[in-house]
Amino acid sequence: ETGVTQTPRHLVMGMTNKKSLKCEQHLGHNAMYWYKQSAKKPLELMFVYNFKEQTENNSVPSRFSPECPNSSHLFLHLHTLQPEDSALYLCASSQSSSGSYNEQFFGPGTRLTVL
Amino acid sequence: GQNIDQPTEMTATEGAIVQINCTYQTSGFNGLFWYQQHAGEAPTFLSYNVLDGLEEKGRFSSFLSRSKGYSYLLLKELQMKDSASYLCAVRPNTGGFKTIFGAGTRLFVKA
């Protein structure tokens, strides 16, 4: 139990569906992250929020839309996904950022399958 | 470009010592992390190096040479539960929170 929870843990969706992934952290952190993890590939950073403001968008397609209403909650809205978007989506949080040492605490992930 | 290389898989014997290497090429350097990830679970933080040298933490140690763009994770007295993927990650000197991960090294510990 890392203090970061994600729901749902598993999601199967069609290419025309709209769904949302949710992340919540109970660690008092101010930075939150979305990563994509595909088999045998490195973790890919998608988005970073610091104090609710987006600070990184790693050229992510617009069919992924993040939302950060407060420092404890992070959403990833999914729309018109492609089968190649099937992956494990991990949320993480860390202390705020200006220092270089910022270990990240990861949630258990959402295993997404796009049919 | 930014690149982190580590071996795909390693096998070692229970009770032995194993060294997992990581080399990196990034836009500047602002720290290197090692994470452990068991199958089906979240990555968990193991160590952090920002200065050259060895950081020891119980059975695990991590070494960094910034001039060589090189790090290793040393695991001593291996246990079966150490079977996992080990992820090397670098924070480049681009400001903000960006962290670049390697693809991970899958370690199998056999009896």
Side-chain angles (χ1 to χ4, degrees), chain A residues 32-98:
Chain A
M32 295 189 78
Y33 310 70
W34 278 118
Y35 287 91
K36 176 183 179 183
Q37 188 173 37
S38 304
K40 303 194 178 178
K41 290 176 72 174
L43 271 172
E44 297 172 54
L45 180 66
M46 300 175 72
F47 302 103
V48 183
Y49 280 81
N50 186 34
F51 290 98
K52 304 188 297 178
E53 298 298 318
Q54 189 180 114
T55 59
E56 296 277 349
N57 177 340
N58 206 25
S59 304
V60 181
S62 59
R63 57 187 185 268
F64 295 91
S65 174
E67 179 190 0
C68 188
N70 55 61
S71 291
S72 299
H73 293 85
L74 185 65
F75 295 89
L76 188 63
H77 304 300
L78 315 173
H79 175 50
T80 323
L81 293 192
Q82 306 297 312
E84 60 264 29
D85 297 323
S86 298
L88 182 68
Y89 289 84
L90 289 163
C91 173
S93 70
S94 72
Q95 296 284 5
S96 182
S97 70
S98 49

Side-chain angles (χ1 to χ4, degrees), chain B residues 38-60:
Chain B
H38 284 100
E41 297 183 15
T44 54
F45 170 78
L46 287 178
S47 69
Y48 171 75
N49 295 71
V50 68
L51 299 176
D52 290 352
L54 189 69
E55 294 283 340
E56 296 189 74
K57 219 188 223 188
R59 293 190 299 115
F60 292 9

Side-chain angles (χ1 to χ4, degrees), chain B residues 55-102:
Chain B
E55 294 283 340
E56 296 189 74
K57 219 188 223 188
R59 293 190 299 115
F60 292 9
S61 304
S62 57
F63 171 83
L64 175 67
S65 168
R66 289 171 296 170
S67 62
K68 295 181 180 173
Y70 167 69
S71 173
Y72 67 73
L73 180 69
L74 193 72
L75 292 77
K76 301 176 189 172
E77 300 167 18
L78 278 174
Q79 301 174 10
M80 301 297 285
K81 67 178 182 179
D82 297 328
S83 294
S85 287
Y86 292 85
L87 312 180
C88 176
V90 173
R91 181 152 283 166
N93 199 15
T94 53
F97 297 84
K98 195 163 202 165
T99 306
I100 300 165
F101 280 80

